[in-house]
Amino acid sequence: FQDQAEQFFRSGHTNNWAVLVCTSRFWFNYRHVANTLSVYRSVKRLGIPDSHIVLMLADDMACNPRNPKPATVFSHKNMELNVYGDDVEVDYRSYEVTVENFLRVLTGRIPPSTPRSKRLLSDDRSNILIYMTGHGGNGFLKFQDSEEITNVELADAFEQMWQKRRYNELLFIIDTCQGASMYERFYSPNIMALASSQVGEDSLSHQPDLGIGVHLMDRYTFYVLEFLEEIHPASQTNMNDLFQVCPKSLCVSTPGHRTDLFQRDPQNVLITDFFGSVRKVEITTEAVSLDRDVAGFESKFLEEELATEPLKYAEQLPVAQIIHQKPKQKDWHPPGGFILGLWALIIMVFFKTYGIKHMKHVF
Amino acid sequence: MAAPLVLVVLAAVTVRAALYRSSLAAFIAERVEVASPLNAWKRVVEGLALLDLGVSPYSGAIFHETPLIIYLFHFLIEYAELVFMITDVLTAVALYLAIQDFNKVVFKKQKLLIELDKYAPDVAELIQTPMEMHYIPLKVALFYLLNPYTVMSCVAKSTCAINNSVIAFFILATIKGSAFLSAVFLALATYQSLYPLTLFAPALLYLLQRQFIPIKLKSKSFWLYTMQYASLYLCSLVVIICLSFFLLNSWDFIPSVYGFILSVPDLTPNIGLFWYFFAEMFEHFSLFFVCVFQINVFFYTIPLAIKLKEHPVFFMFVQLAIISIFKSYPTVGDVALYMAFLPVWSHLYRFLRNIFILSCVLIFCSFLFPVLWHLWIYAGSANSNFYYAITLTFNIGQILLISDYFYAFLRREYYLTHGLHLTRQDGTEAMLVLK
């Protein structure tokens, strides 16, 4: 019982959010929409409701005039899996998927008229999954073929989220060419990042479907999807298994991951901590005392994990300093020697031109 | 003449005060035609704020004014508007007194030349009379104070007004004949913006003329006087620069002020010719062209000195105009200063050939500057070429104006000595052509 109770305190989050972004438009980028929709399906299946998912798709493939099978988006050839379905809720569609909107969603700086479905209403106990796919390069990700978001902007947005206490832990997955460059610049705590390829490598697509005429999925997301199909809400699979997904033999590119900013050991992080919204509910008839033992275990657990000082949110305003501030004084004054020299010169010039006879009027 | 001058001064002060209180003040203060990186008020305030924070104002690329300006405004910053209004009034009064004296000198010289029979017999209509010269000083003060360029420059609180004031005092001191004061004021003007160095030549010529020293290269008294004046000027300049060192205990101000003026690193658009050229130039040519452009300002001094050695005040006017056209960061305040002198040469009106079209060009360009700026920067439907075209046209207008006055002046001098009705050898009417 105590073990199960202790597991309750393991991860520290109380709600899950997902921000899934596909940044490419045009029919031949079908696979990016399929990528995002596959992750959407998995995340919904594992329990995150639509109200906690912000889905941004830059183009509409299901109703594209070139789609031979309208109202469907397939992720596997021979049309095995339709990831579009009946209950897809796209929050940002078509031209609304811009760098500005994406950053506004992340940082919460949204105009008051935005509907709830378009907001990321996370708090400091939220675990957020951010999945991005599209075309990218070394240090940037292309949006809509007209603008880019850089890794620095993304890192700064995450820092804003940290300072505004908008996440507990963040998992960032990116499936683009040279994806590892996007997580290079992160500097906020509690972020774990995965990418489909290293800097200098391209992420490749999986397989074309001759019926639809385009590539249906990217390799990395295809194998991640296969991996996620095995996960159910009660799985104990941890992040280390996710890091092993799609080795170079299958993916041709080398997937990368970054865990140095993350407080917990990836071994102890469940997949469902990010991909699902898992509530462990056990109905008992006995009372369990949680005060001493579990707290003791918790502190022991904390001591093991956090050898360094626990993270604190920065003090937003140094109130004590502000209320006792004295008014600013002008600190600089011209040196006395300068003033003396200047006025001596001026007086000399005056007397040289007007004659010495005026001196007696001065004294 | 004091009462009309006082009236003019009051009117000017009222106009400026009214504009200070209106919303136009902020709009004018940020116009690039009025405020350049050298003399913008925003930068003076920024420099003083940096000083209060304990940082040298010359440490960045913000502040390019001299330490004496820091000293002046450290105590007077709350009364800045008053300071600039008083500066403008002082400039106008100085110009008024200078031109009054100059008219007396001109008249005396004219009388002397008539008595010496140097003038041709039929030039009675060309000779200036005291009647028509009576109102010229007032007109000069009026032209300076109520010129829209001056008013805008004052409302924008650009330190160009201070530079104009120092140059006006220099002109007053020169015309009064005091070599010492003239050297001191010229040193102050050069200290603030480098280009008044070229005014050394006309001032020297005027003072030599006043002392009746003939301008011959072999004459010993000529060289003696030149050396005296030059040493006065250089000593004052050195003393002022050394004094400025003691303000901040560093020589930082020299690259910030003079290095900035000479090397033109800031290419913000203005009404001058430097910015566009250097914006599109390759790096390895920029040093060469900077040298060429800067030499262009100083280049006209010697030829003009040779041609205009009998008329140093006109030389001073042309030199002032050349400085304000070709300097690295011109503003309309500089234009206003030489335009104030135009009433002095109003007797040349009958010889000016293009005055109508040139005044139209200048007025239209002044109106087109803000229009094309708006189209370029805000509407986005024009580009820098449009604004540069207006800059070019404005400067061409100014250059043609000056050369027109130059031609008219020389033509009048020729007519004075050779008579109004020129005939060729065979007796037919001849035309005077400037070669």
Side-chain angles (χ1 to χ4, degrees), chain A residues 61 233 313:
Chain A
M61 297 306 167
Y313 284 108

PDB file of all heavy atoms in Angstrom, chain A residues 61 233 313:
ATOM      1  N   MET A  61      -5.432  18.251 -45.168  1.00  0.00           N
ATOM      2  CA  MET A  61      -5.200  17.196 -46.139  1.00  0.00           C
ATOM      3  C   MET A  61      -6.447  16.392 -46.403  1.00  0.00           C
ATOM      4  O   MET A  61      -6.646  15.889 -47.509  1.00  0.00           O
ATOM      5  CB  MET A  61      -4.079  16.265 -45.627  1.00  0.00           C
ATOM      6  CG  MET A  61      -2.760  16.970 -45.481  1.00  0.00           C
ATOM      7  SD  MET A  61      -2.281  17.781 -46.998  1.00  0.00           S
ATOM      8  CE  MET A  61      -0.978  18.805 -46.438  1.00  0.00           C
ATOM      9  N   PRO A 233      -2.871   2.839 -20.781  1.00  0.00           N
ATOM     10  CA  PRO A 233      -2.786   3.753 -19.631  1.00  0.00           C
ATOM     11  C   PRO A 233      -2.067   3.212 -18.413  1.00  0.00           C
ATOM     12  O   PRO A 233      -1.549   3.963 -17.614  1.00  0.00           O
ATOM     13  CB  PRO A 233      -4.255   4.062 -19.315  1.00  0.00           C
ATOM     14  CG  PRO A 233      -4.923   3.932 -20.620  1.00  0.00           C
ATOM     15  CD  PRO A 233      -4.218   2.852 -21.370  1.00  0.00           C
ATOM     16  N   TYR A 313      11.333  29.199  -7.944  1.00  0.00           N
ATOM     17  CA  TYR A 313      10.938  30.209  -8.904  1.00  0.00           C
ATOM     18  C   TYR A 313      11.575  31.521  -8.509  1.00  0.00           C
ATOM     19  O   TYR A 313      11.693  31.828  -7.338  1.00  0.00           O
ATOM     20  CB  TYR A 313       9.420  30.346  -8.943  1.00  0.00           C
ATOM     21  CG  TYR A 313       8.759  29.216  -9.685  1.00  0.00           C
ATOM     22  CD1 TYR A 313       8.038  28.249  -9.015  1.00  0.00           C
ATOM     23  CD2 TYR A 313       8.868  29.115 -11.063  1.00  0.00           C
ATOM     24  CE1 TYR A 313       7.431  27.216  -9.688  1.00  0.00           C
ATOM     25  CE2 TYR A 313       8.270  28.084 -11.750  1.00  0.00           C
ATOM     26  CZ  TYR A 313       7.556  27.135 -11.058  1.00  0.00           C
ATOM     27  OH  TYR A 313       6.949  26.112 -11.719  1.00  0.00           O
TER      28      TYR A 313
END
